[in-house]
Amino acid sequence: MDLTRPFLKWAGGKYRLLDRLLPSLPEGARLVEPFVGSGAVFLNAGFGSYLLCDLNPDLIGLYRTLLRDGEGFIARARSLFTPEHNTQEVFLRLRAEFNASSDVEARSLLFLYLNRHSYNGLVRYNSKGIYNVPFGKYKAPYFPERELTAFLTKLRDCDVAFAVQDFRATFSQLRKGDVVYCDPPYAPVSATANFTSYTGGGFGPQEQIALAAAASGAAERGMPVVLSNHDVPLTRDLYAAARLQSFPVQRFISCNGARRGAARELLAVFS
């Protein structure tokens, strides 16, 4: 399968699982993603129309800026990927500029820079909405020009709309012919596991329950939903009405390299 890589590093990104995920997507007129993340599914799916949503305004702002400014944005971003910009002093200055700025284009450029220069490629905000990932200390951060160009080409070749909104709002906008793919913040694999949302908020058990209910309800109205999560007792219970696939996956982003191991992924198809 000839696949296109996203240009963003993303915890839980689905690029490595596309060979299992894409065949599970039913046919439809429009693909709706309430948690678009790095856009790996969007990039490689064959729909003619897309609604791409996320609660992270910096992520959606970046995609909108790339579509609007195209090659000019890529050129400006390239200028940040030089040895002079790959020091902790410059990183901290640019991170502070990002956190202080309200300009969408400036934040988009810096969001891409931070994503590629931050520790482990993490995207994380504190409770006040401040991006707080430390410097990654990479020898030469990769500038994803080829991947940016491929993403831009896909944006230009299809009918795509963006929205910064909660998954509940996205489900309320579904229409006949839609297929939904959900890649939410995952349920913890153990009672002691901890997750800090990349939007600065939280996605706990009540959100997991509400998402499963929304997926089931959409499927009953004729709009199939495919949902990814950890294979744990909570998700098994919540997705009991769906067709389930479980398989091992390798986790690549972790604070402790020794703990980057196999976990089980659950793919639920509500139809």
Side-chain angles (χ1 to χ4, degrees):
M1 187 181 294
D2 189 16
L3 299 173
T4 303
R5 286 183 177 272
F7 65 85
L8 290 172
K9 292 184 176 183
W10 208 257
K14 290 299 174 286
Y15 177 77
R16 297 176 188 275
L17 304 182
L18 289 173
D19 59 338
R20 289 182 178 268
L21 202 159
L22 292 177
S24 298
L25 294 175
E27 293 185 0
R30 181 175 71 159
L31 180 65
V32 178
E33 292 198 58
F35 310 88
V36 66
S38 68
V41 175
F42 155 73
L43 267 174
N44 292 282
F47 294 78
S49 182
Y50 297 86
L51 174 59
L52 307 179
C53 308
D54 207 279
L55 267 179
N56 188 330
D58 293 317
L59 179 68
I60 299 299
L62 170 56
Y63 293 155
R64 284 172 167 161
T65 302
L66 176 60
L67 177 58
R68 183 185 66 245
D69 296 347
E71 290 80 6
F73 173 82
I74 295 173
R76 290 191 293 276
R78 188 190 306 114
S79 68
L80 295 175
F81 286 71
T82 66
E84 292 76 16
H85 289 90
N86 189 32
T87 69
Q88 180 161 312
E89 179 183 5
V90 173
F91 172 87
L92 293 176
R93 175 174 61 80
L94 293 178
R95 190 181 70 176
E97 288 183 12
F98 173 82
N99 284 320
S101 177
S102 59
D103 181 80
V104 173
E105 181 177 344
R107 287 182 71 93
S108 295
L109 287 167
L110 292 171
F111 186 74
L112 176 57
Y113 166 86
L114 292 171
N115 177 256
R116 285 283 171 174
H117 289 75
S118 293
Y119 177 75
N120 257 348
L122 293 174
V123 175
R124 186 187 66 200
Y125 303 78
N126 66 18
S127 60
K128 296 181 179 179
I130 301 299
Y131 186 97
N132 61 2
V133 184
F135 182 51
K137 300 180 181 179
Y138 299 111
K139 184 177 180 180
Y142 172 66
F143 178 58
E145 182 158 4
R146 181 171 56 185
E147 293 83 354
L148 280 161
T149 300
F151 204 102
L152 176 59
T153 299
K154 179 66 181 277
L155 290 175
R156 287 172 169 171
D157 285 349
C158 62
D159 175 24
V160 59
F162 297 102
V164 178
Q165 61 190 20
D166 178 83
F167 72 87
R168 298 170 183 84
T170 302
F171 271 90
S172 73
Q173 296 168 1
L174 296 182
R175 63 196 188 203
K176 185 177 180 180
D178 282 347
V179 174
V180 184
Y181 172 63
C182 292
D183 183 25
Y186 277 16
V189 296
S190 70
T192 57
N194 184 41
F195 175 76
T196 301
S197 171
Y198 74 100
T199 62
F203 201 93
Q206 293 307 312
E207 285 75 22
Q208 299 285 357
I209 292 169
L211 177 58
S216 179
E220 290 176 359
R221 300 193 305 275
M223 293 161 286
V225 180
V226 179
L227 210 157
S228 296
N229 216 314
H230 279 141
D231 187 353
V232 294
L234 172 63
T235 54
R236 283 272 175 174
D237 182 53
L238 292 177
Y239 306 160
R243 299 194 310 276
L244 302 178
Q245 298 180 43
S246 179
F247 48 91
V249 296
Q250 189 75 19
R251 300 302 182 204
F252 291 91
I253 296 183
S254 170
C255 292
N256 184 346
R259 296 170 64 184
R260 298 180 193 180
R264 292 203 70 84
E265 183 93 358
L266 194 63
L267 196 61
V269 180
F270 292 84
S271 61

